[in-house]
Amino acid sequence: MIRTFSILLIFQCLGEGLVYLTGLPVPGPVIGMLLLFVFLLMRKTEAAKLVPGVQTLLGHLSLLFIPAGVGIMVHGKMVMEEWLPLTLALIISTAVSIVVTALCVKWLQK
């Protein structure tokens, strides 16, 4: 578990470092996930070693939603004042995600 968590943190830090050094307009954790993906493609045996720890972490994934929920409760007044832009952003981003996912699945099925 500690090994898995360490590897995930190492790749996140590498991503953050690359963003800092290059000024890419992409979040560091996204770059870190891409680096981890490439690493796991190159060393397939490592993926099997990470599975037990990753499954344990995924079992506690719901804990990551607590800060967002607290933020909404703390800033409830602002959320109520800005409900229209928030609703539009949620609807548009959901639609874009569905379309992009469908196009990716269609492309991968070929």
Side-chain angles (χ1 to χ4, degrees):
M1 174 76 172
I2 292 176
R3 181 178 182 278
T4 302
F5 195 65
S6 298
I7 289 172
L8 293 174
L9 283 176
I10 287 169
F11 278 98
Q12 179 176 356
C13 288
L14 287 172
E16 290 284 357
L18 277 174
V19 167
Y20 179 77
L21 291 174
T22 61
L24 290 170
V26 179
V30 173
I31 301 293
M33 281 193 301
L34 289 173
L35 292 172
L36 177 62
F37 178 68
V38 170
F39 173 74
L40 292 176
L41 284 177
M42 293 188 314
R43 298 188 60 183
K44 294 187 184 343
T45 58
E46 288 295 317
K49 294 177 186 175
L50 293 178
V51 168
V54 169
Q55 287 179 335
T56 302
L57 288 172
L58 285 175
H60 301 290
L61 185 66
S62 60
L63 292 174
L64 297 176
F65 291 101
I66 292 173
V70 170
I72 289 174
M73 291 171 65
V74 168
H75 299 291
K77 183 178 177 187
M78 185 170 40
V79 170
M80 293 303 293
E81 291 171 358
E82 302 290 333
W83 70 271
L84 184 59
L86 288 171
T87 303
L88 288 174
L90 284 170
I91 291 170
I92 292 169
S93 64
T94 301
V96 169
S97 297
I98 291 170
V99 169
V100 169
T101 302
L103 291 173
C104 287
V105 168
K106 187 177 179 180
W107 178 73
L108 288 170
Q109 286 178 336
K110 289 183 181 180

